[in-house]
Amino acid sequence: AEEYDNEFAQLELMRWYDSYIDFSTEKSAFYWASKAAQHGSYFAQRRLCQYYCDGKGCQKDPKLGALWLHKACQQEKNTICI
């Protein structure tokens, strides 16, 4: 996923790590969400918002969470983002 910079694979890794409840997998889920979000995945961008707001896999930072939510909302034209 990282070697080939593949957004789909990064998103799948994020989902896989996110399905486990463990601090070490939270960091991995955050890492892969970041990679996929940087490639423009609105799902990963929304998930990063959650991670930053909850401090899951990263230091809690609601401002960064809001930034990623804003980026996701810009892509989701048919969705109301509050």
Side-chain angles (χ1 to χ4, degrees):
E2 187 164 22
E3 183 178 335
Y4 295 103
D5 217 19
N6 184 307
E7 175 188 343
F8 177 76
Q10 292 164 351
L11 193 55
E12 288 304 308
L13 281 166
M14 177 207 69
R15 287 179 178 157
W16 187 80
Y17 282 114
D18 198 37
S19 66
Y20 292 93
I21 302 171
D22 179 283
F23 183 71
S24 64
T25 59
E26 284 181 359
K27 284 185 170 184
S28 295
F30 175 82
Y31 175 80
W32 291 113
S34 297
K35 289 288 196 178
Q38 290 168 11
H39 278 105
S41 166
Y42 73 90
F43 181 82
Q45 290 169 346
R46 288 183 72 113
R47 190 55 61 96
L48 271 183
C49 169
Q50 245 181 329
Y51 291 165
Y52 277 118
C53 289
D54 296 340
K56 183 177 177 181
C58 62
Q59 186 172 349
K60 193 172 187 174
D61 190 336
K63 287 182 182 179
L64 269 177
L67 173 78
W68 282 109
L69 181 61
H70 178 73
K71 288 182 181 204
C73 289
Q74 288 177 323
Q75 293 189 64
E76 295 181 75
K77 294 179 174 82
N78 295 327
T79 301
I80 297 173
C81 290
I82 303 170

